[in-house]
Structure formats: C-alpha cells, structure tokens
Amino acid sequence: MSTQVSEEVREALHEGRPVVALESTIIAHGLPRPRNLAVAHELEALVRDGGAVPATIAVIDGTARIGLDQAALTRIAEDPSVRKLGHRDLAPALATGTTGATTVSATAWLADSAGIRVFATGGLGGVHREWAETQDESADLRLLAQVGITVVCAGVKSILDVPATLQRLETLGVTVVGYRTDRFPGFYLSSSGEPVDWTVRTPQGVARVMRARDELGGPRAALIVGNPVAADQQLDPQLHDRVLAQGLATAREKGVTGQAVTPFLLDYLMVHTEGASLEANLAAVRGNVWLAARIAAAYRELP
Ligand code: PSU
Ligand code: MN
C-alpha cells in the first residue's frame, strides 16, 4: 500500500478525536541538525499537551506515512539524502521508493486525504520577490486552494513578497483570518504590516468558521489562520530587514533557484542573525502547533 496511517492516528480519526497534521520539510530542510530532531519531538509533545494526536507526515521508502514512529522521525531529521517533496513530487517518490520530507503542499494533500482537518506549520510558501523574473511561486498556494484543511501558520515566510502572496490567496479563494490580530503576521515578525479582513479571537471562534464552511458546502479551499509570534519573541525588525536584503542579494549572486531558494534564505538568516531568526522561527512554530491542537479540540467539541 502506498499510503499508511499509523495505528494511533487511525484510531483517533475513527473515534472522532482531534488530530493535528505536522509537516516534515521544516524538520529536514528548514532547521539545523541536530536541533531539528529535538524540535520534531517537542512539536509532537505540544500537540499532545493541547489535547490532540500529532500526525507528522513524510514519505519513507516510497510509502506516504501519516503519523511517524521514532525510527522514521529520526531518519527524516538525520539523513542528509532526504528529499524535499511538494505535492507534484509525491507520485514519482512513491513509484521509485524514495524517502522525502513533505512541504506544506504535499502535507496538506495527504492530511486532507486521510480526513485530518487541522494542520500546523511555521510560515507558508508564497510568491517570491523576484517573481517577475523567475515566476517562483510556491506550490503551497495553489494546493491550498483545493483542500478543505485549516492551516495554522505565522503568515507566509517574510523572505517572500507578502502583498503579492495575499493577492494570490484572494484570487485563489483561500480564506484568511488573523488570530487576535487585524494584521497578517510576518513569520519572524509579529506583523507583516498588511491588513487581514477577518479577526478571530478564540479556538472556538476558528472552529465555528470551520463548521460554517462545512455547512456551506461549495468549492473546497483551505482556511488560513495567521497566528503572530509574540512581540517579545519576534526577530528585531531592523536586523531582519538588513540581513534579508543581504541574503536576497547573495542568493541572486550565487544563482540559487527552485526548491533550494527557501532553505538557502532561512539558513542565511539564521547564520547572519547569530541564531536569532531560528529562535523567532521556533517560537512561531510552537505557538502555531499549540493553537492548532486547541482548534482541533474545539472543532470536535462543537455542539
Ligand atoms: N515553515 C517553516 N520552515 C520551513 C517551511 C515552512 O518555518 O522550512 C517549508 C514548508 O514545507 C513550505 C516550504 O511548504 O518551506 C516552502 O518551500 P517552497 O518555497 O520551495 O515551496
Ligand atoms: Mn519555489
């Protein structure tokens, strides 16, 4: 069988208990080793503390796995040959027995297929700042226009063109709400400065939006919950802007393209902020994972 749901996740879904999907690209390609494995464990524990079952998703030896055991999680974190798989890469990866980490697009697709309603990540992919030359727009956006999953994130990565990404999300019909904010979060920063049209203040409030969408029917599309990193845990905005400008220039000089762009920039920021961007990234992810667990629980408890 090409897809395998772990026993714990299968039972939870069967019994109607809350489940939160977690992606694996952030572990394999978004965070430095060996801290990434500790973070993978920490995120799963946070989901449990929030009252839900974690389902980390990856492809192991050609099988799409929903809910990873210790051995699989360790392999994703430690093996440098683990590939980065967007949703378009899933079929060739399964057919060739490949091992790879799943991005937001691949994770959202697999989670939705398994009947998981809530997914947490750091920051979504989106439209890159040099789009006019490269046409680089993350596959995350189009896939999120096709699955009815709720994605809790700290906005889109601030390495991107945020206004253009918000415009694309509008065109694609993806719902965006701010969690206790009227500004779209800025990933490493609490605010991107861009407005959001809707603000929701509680996990129950998000669950009610999910229920309203269920009842409306109509075309499926994701619900994005933008949850800002706390102001005292964000990256210093001036440091962010300065180092990001250097990173974008360096990526251009080195000719970094395609799937390598996002990991290159995340790593550049980490090195050149002396780890401060990593701490902000982790604070954002932790907050999102916790909120996702509360939303999944609130959705199951709706009257
Ligand atoms: N959030 C993070 N770190 C990451 C990512 C998200 O905090 O590394 C990953 C996600 O897997 C997302 C991917 O789907 O970056 C986007 O890559 P690209 O721009 O190549 O589509
Ligand atoms: Mn890309």
Side-chain angles (χ1 to χ4, degrees):
M1 206 170 48
S2 59
T3 299
Q4 190 185 308
V5 183
S6 75
E7 198 179 313
E8 186 191 17
V9 172
R10 193 162 10 98
E11 278 177 10
L13 288 170
H14 183 69
E15 292 165 13
R17 285 186 282 121
V19 176
V20 172
L22 301 171
E23 56 138 325
S24 46
T25 292
I26 180 171
I27 302 302
H29 306 286
L31 298 170
R33 279 185 280 271
R35 184 124 179 234
N36 60 347
L37 180 59
V39 171
H41 287 133
E42 187 194 341
L43 298 181
E44 292 204 343
L46 264 176
V47 173
R48 290 185 201 284
D49 289 347
V53 170
T56 304
I57 295 179
V59 177
I60 308 287
D61 297 325
T63 298
R65 301 256 304 258
I66 296 166
L68 300 184
D69 56 26
Q70 293 305 324
L73 207 56
T74 304
R75 183 141 167 227
I76 288 297
E78 290 182 350
D79 180 349
S81 71
V82 167
R83 290 186 54 157
K84 175 175 167 182
L85 308 174
H87 70 98
R88 72 171 189 159
D89 303 308
L90 286 173
L94 299 195
T96 57
T98 297
T99 294
T102 50
T103 67
V104 168
S105 73
T107 308
W109 185 21
L110 291 168
D112 182 67
S113 309
I116 299 173
R117 296 299 310 269
V118 182
F119 167 27
T121 181
L124 303 179
V127 179
H128 283 259
R129 292 175 189 230
E130 310 212 302
W131 186 87
E133 291 124 69
T134 61
Q135 266 88 68
D136 189 350
E137 172 187 323
S138 175
D140 291 355
L141 298 189
R142 211 184 70 96
L143 194 279
L144 291 177
Q146 295 172 304
V147 291
I149 201 162
T150 297
V151 187
V152 184
C153 59
V156 302
K157 283 183 271 279
S158 54
I159 59 175
L160 301 167
D161 182 336
V162 178
T165 303
L166 284 168
Q167 184 55 56
R168 283 291 291 150
L169 288 168
E170 180 180 347
T171 303
L172 290 164
V174 177
T175 303
V176 179
V177 304
Y179 188 75
R180 296 187 178 167
T181 178
D182 61 1
R183 299 285 127 184
F184 195 57
F187 188 54
Y188 296 123
L189 306 177
S190 303
S191 170
S192 67
E194 299 297 318
V196 283
D197 293 331
W198 298 96
T199 301
V200 182
R201 310 207 71 87
T202 60
Q204 290 73 22
V206 178
R208 283 194 292 274
V209 177
M210 293 168 64
R211 172 63 66 78
R213 291 165 50 92
D214 297 346
E215 289 171 359
L216 274 171
R220 283 156 53 80
L223 167 61
I224 293 179
V225 179
N227 180 37
V229 65
D232 61 358
Q233 292 183 305
Q234 72 171 345
L235 186 59
D236 170 17
Q238 283 177 358
L239 178 65
H240 171 270
D241 293 355
R242 179 160 45 82
V243 176
L244 177 56
Q246 291 163 5
L248 290 165
T250 308
R252 206 177 308 127
E253 276 159 30
K254 291 194 168 178
V256 181
T257 56
Q259 280 195 332
V261 173
T262 295
F264 175 86
L265 288 172
L266 295 182
D267 183 66
Y268 188 96
L269 268 120
M270 186 187 75
V271 171
H272 293 85
T273 62
E274 280 147 24
S277 74
L278 175 61
E279 296 311 320
N281 188 350
L282 288 175
V285 178
R286 287 188 193 104
N288 297 340
V289 167
W290 170 256
L291 178 59
R294 301 310 302 153
I295 291 169
Y299 180 74
R300 296 299 174 195
E301 284 159 16
L302 280 180

Short mmCIF file of all heavy atoms in Angstrom, two decimals, residues 23 25-26 29-30 84 102-105 121-126 128 138-140 157 187 258-259 262-263 266 281 285, ligand 1:
data_model
loop_
_atom_site.label_atom_id
_atom_site.label_comp_id
_atom_site.label_asym_id
_atom_site.label_seq_id
_atom_site.Cartn_x
_atom_site.Cartn_y
_atom_site.Cartn_z
N GLU A 23 4.08 19.04 9.22
CA GLU A 23 4.88 18.77 8.02
C GLU A 23 6.31 18.37 8.40
O GLU A 23 6.75 18.59 9.54
CB GLU A 23 4.88 19.98 7.09
CG GLU A 23 5.36 21.25 7.77
CD GLU A 23 6.29 22.07 6.91
OE1 GLU A 23 7.08 21.49 6.15
OE2 GLU A 23 6.24 23.30 7.04
N THR A 25 9.14 18.97 6.06
CA THR A 25 10.19 19.75 5.39
C THR A 25 10.86 20.71 6.36
O THR A 25 12.08 20.91 6.33
CB THR A 25 9.63 20.52 4.18
OG1 THR A 25 9.25 19.57 3.19
CG2 THR A 25 10.65 21.47 3.59
N ILE A 26 10.04 21.28 7.24
CA ILE A 26 10.64 22.18 8.24
C ILE A 26 11.69 21.43 9.07
O ILE A 26 12.72 21.99 9.43
CB ILE A 26 9.53 22.80 9.12
CG1 ILE A 26 10.12 23.74 10.15
CG2 ILE A 26 8.65 21.78 9.77
CD1 ILE A 26 9.09 24.55 10.89
N HIS A 29 14.65 20.27 6.18
CA HIS A 29 15.30 21.30 5.37
C HIS A 29 15.16 22.72 5.91
O HIS A 29 15.74 23.65 5.35
CB HIS A 29 14.75 21.27 3.94
CG HIS A 29 14.83 19.92 3.30
ND1 HIS A 29 16.01 19.37 2.85
CD2 HIS A 29 13.89 18.98 3.07
CE1 HIS A 29 15.79 18.17 2.35
NE2 HIS A 29 14.50 17.90 2.48
N GLY A 30 14.38 22.89 6.98
CA GLY A 30 14.15 24.24 7.49
C GLY A 30 14.87 24.53 8.80
O GLY A 30 14.96 25.68 9.20
N LYS A 84 13.15 16.89 -0.70
CA LYS A 84 12.06 17.81 -0.40
C LYS A 84 10.94 17.55 -1.40
O LYS A 84 11.15 17.66 -2.61
CB LYS A 84 12.58 19.25 -0.51
CG LYS A 84 11.52 20.33 -0.35
CD LYS A 84 12.17 21.73 -0.35
CE LYS A 84 11.14 22.83 -0.52
NZ LYS A 84 11.76 24.17 -0.57
N THR A 102 7.86 16.17 3.39
CA THR A 102 6.76 16.80 2.66
C THR A 102 6.64 18.28 3.03
O THR A 102 6.71 18.65 4.19
CB THR A 102 5.44 16.07 2.96
OG1 THR A 102 5.28 15.92 4.38
CG2 THR A 102 5.43 14.70 2.31
N THR A 103 6.46 19.11 2.00
CA THR A 103 6.23 20.54 2.21
C THR A 103 4.78 20.76 2.62
O THR A 103 3.99 19.82 2.72
CB THR A 103 6.47 21.33 0.91
OG1 THR A 103 5.45 20.96 -0.02
CG2 THR A 103 7.85 21.06 0.31
N VAL A 104 4.41 22.01 2.79
CA VAL A 104 3.02 22.34 3.12
C VAL A 104 2.08 21.75 2.06
O VAL A 104 1.05 21.15 2.39
CB VAL A 104 2.83 23.86 3.24
CG1 VAL A 104 1.35 24.24 3.28
CG2 VAL A 104 3.55 24.39 4.47
N SER A 105 2.43 21.88 0.78
CA SER A 105 1.50 21.42 -0.26
C SER A 105 1.31 19.90 -0.19
O SER A 105 0.18 19.41 -0.23
CB SER A 105 1.95 21.87 -1.65
OG SER A 105 3.07 21.15 -2.11
N THR A 121 2.07 24.65 10.79
CA THR A 121 3.42 24.80 10.24
C THR A 121 3.99 26.13 10.74
O THR A 121 3.41 26.77 11.61
CB THR A 121 3.40 24.75 8.70
OG1 THR A 121 4.75 24.88 8.22
CG2 THR A 121 2.56 25.86 8.10
N GLY A 122 5.18 26.51 10.22
CA GLY A 122 5.77 27.79 10.58
C GLY A 122 5.17 28.88 9.71
O GLY A 122 4.22 29.56 10.09
N GLY A 123 5.74 29.02 8.52
CA GLY A 123 5.22 30.00 7.57
C GLY A 123 4.99 29.33 6.23
O GLY A 123 5.78 28.48 5.81
N LEU A 124 3.92 29.71 5.54
CA LEU A 124 3.62 29.12 4.24
C LEU A 124 4.62 29.61 3.19
O LEU A 124 5.23 30.67 3.35
CB LEU A 124 2.23 29.55 3.78
CG LEU A 124 1.07 29.23 4.69
CD1 LEU A 124 -0.21 29.76 4.07
CD2 LEU A 124 0.98 27.73 4.92
N GLY A 125 4.73 28.85 2.11
CA GLY A 125 5.41 29.36 0.92
C GLY A 125 4.49 30.35 0.22
O GLY A 125 3.32 30.49 0.58
N GLY A 126 5.03 31.07 -0.77
CA GLY A 126 4.20 32.04 -1.48
C GLY A 126 4.92 32.59 -2.69
O GLY A 126 5.77 31.91 -3.28
N HIS A 128 7.57 34.69 -4.57
CA HIS A 128 8.91 35.21 -4.27
C HIS A 128 9.07 36.63 -4.79
O HIS A 128 8.38 37.06 -5.71
CB HIS A 128 9.99 34.28 -4.85
CG HIS A 128 10.16 33.05 -4.01
ND1 HIS A 128 11.18 32.89 -3.12
CD2 HIS A 128 9.38 31.94 -3.89
CE1 HIS A 128 11.05 31.72 -2.50
NE2 HIS A 128 9.96 31.12 -2.96
N SER A 138 5.42 29.46 -4.68
CA SER A 138 5.36 28.14 -4.04
C SER A 138 4.10 27.40 -4.46
O SER A 138 3.01 27.97 -4.56
CB SER A 138 5.36 28.31 -2.53
OG SER A 138 5.20 27.04 -1.91
N ALA A 139 4.25 26.10 -4.67
CA ALA A 139 3.10 25.23 -4.98
C ALA A 139 2.13 25.17 -3.80
O ALA A 139 0.99 24.72 -3.97
CB ALA A 139 3.60 23.84 -5.33
N ASP A 140 2.56 25.65 -2.63
CA ASP A 140 1.66 25.67 -1.46
C ASP A 140 0.35 26.39 -1.80
O ASP A 140 -0.73 25.95 -1.40
CB ASP A 140 2.30 26.42 -0.27
CG ASP A 140 3.47 25.70 0.34
OD1 ASP A 140 3.76 24.56 -0.07
OD2 ASP A 140 4.12 26.29 1.24
N LYS A 157 6.38 33.14 4.77
CA LYS A 157 7.75 33.49 5.13
C LYS A 157 8.07 34.92 4.64
O LYS A 157 7.72 35.29 3.53
CB LYS A 157 8.70 32.46 4.55
CG LYS A 157 8.67 31.18 5.40
CD LYS A 157 9.65 30.15 4.93
CE LYS A 157 9.02 29.27 3.90
NZ LYS A 157 8.17 28.22 4.47
N PHE A 187 5.78 36.09 9.94
CA PHE A 187 6.68 34.94 10.14
C PHE A 187 7.67 35.24 11.26
O PHE A 187 7.32 35.09 12.42
CB PHE A 187 7.38 34.56 8.83
CG PHE A 187 8.18 33.28 8.90
CD1 PHE A 187 7.60 32.10 9.33
CD2 PHE A 187 9.52 33.24 8.52
CE1 PHE A 187 8.34 30.91 9.40
CE2 PHE A 187 10.25 32.07 8.57
CZ PHE A 187 9.66 30.91 9.01
N GLY A 258 14.83 27.53 -7.69
CA GLY A 258 13.92 26.40 -7.48
C GLY A 258 13.74 26.06 -6.01
O GLY A 258 13.65 26.95 -5.15
N GLN A 259 13.70 24.78 -5.72
CA GLN A 259 13.43 24.31 -4.36
C GLN A 259 14.49 24.75 -3.36
O GLN A 259 14.26 24.72 -2.16
CB GLN A 259 13.39 22.77 -4.35
CG GLN A 259 12.10 22.17 -4.84
CD GLN A 259 12.02 20.71 -4.46
OE1 GLN A 259 13.04 20.05 -4.32
NE2 GLN A 259 10.81 20.21 -4.28
N THR A 262 14.19 28.66 -0.73
CA THR A 262 13.66 28.85 0.63
C THR A 262 14.64 28.33 1.69
O THR A 262 14.98 29.09 2.61
CB THR A 262 12.26 28.21 0.73
OG1 THR A 262 11.38 28.94 -0.14
CG2 THR A 262 11.71 28.26 2.15
N PRO A 263 15.15 27.09 1.59
CA PRO A 263 16.13 26.65 2.60
C PRO A 263 17.38 27.52 2.64
O PRO A 263 17.92 27.80 3.72
CB PRO A 263 16.49 25.22 2.17
CG PRO A 263 15.35 24.76 1.32
CD PRO A 263 14.79 25.99 0.67
N LEU A 266 16.46 30.78 4.59
CA LEU A 266 16.24 30.51 6.02
C LEU A 266 17.58 30.30 6.71
O LEU A 266 17.83 30.81 7.81
CB LEU A 266 15.34 29.28 6.22
CG LEU A 266 13.89 29.39 5.72
CD1 LEU A 266 13.12 28.12 6.04
CD2 LEU A 266 13.18 30.61 6.30
N ASN A 281 11.71 31.79 14.63
CA ASN A 281 11.03 30.76 13.83
C ASN A 281 10.45 29.69 14.75
O ASN A 281 9.28 29.31 14.64
CB ASN A 281 12.05 30.16 12.85
CG ASN A 281 11.44 29.20 11.82
OD1 ASN A 281 10.29 28.81 11.91
ND2 ASN A 281 12.24 28.81 10.85
N VAL A 285 6.55 28.57 15.38
CA VAL A 285 6.06 27.20 15.12
C VAL A 285 5.40 26.63 16.38
O VAL A 285 4.33 26.04 16.32
CB VAL A 285 7.20 26.28 14.64
CG1 VAL A 285 6.68 24.87 14.43
CG2 VAL A 285 7.81 26.80 13.37
N1 PSU B 1 7.80 26.85 7.60
C1 PSU B 1 8.97 26.97 8.30
N2 PSU B 1 10.09 26.41 7.73
C2 PSU B 1 10.06 25.74 6.52
C3 PSU B 1 8.82 25.63 5.79
C4 PSU B 1 7.72 26.20 6.39
O1 PSU B 1 9.01 27.56 9.40
O2 PSU B 1 11.10 25.23 6.08
C5 PSU B 1 8.78 24.89 4.45
C6 PSU B 1 7.37 24.36 4.18
O3 PSU B 1 7.48 22.97 3.98
C7 PSU B 1 6.90 25.06 2.92
C8 PSU B 1 8.21 25.20 2.20
O4 PSU B 1 5.96 24.31 2.20
O5 PSU B 1 9.07 25.66 3.26
C9 PSU B 1 8.09 26.16 1.03
O6 PSU B 1 9.09 25.86 0.10
P1 PSU B 1 8.99 26.46 -1.41
O7 PSU B 1 9.09 27.95 -1.23
O8 PSU B 1 10.18 25.85 -2.15
O9 PSU B 1 7.68 25.98 -1.97
#
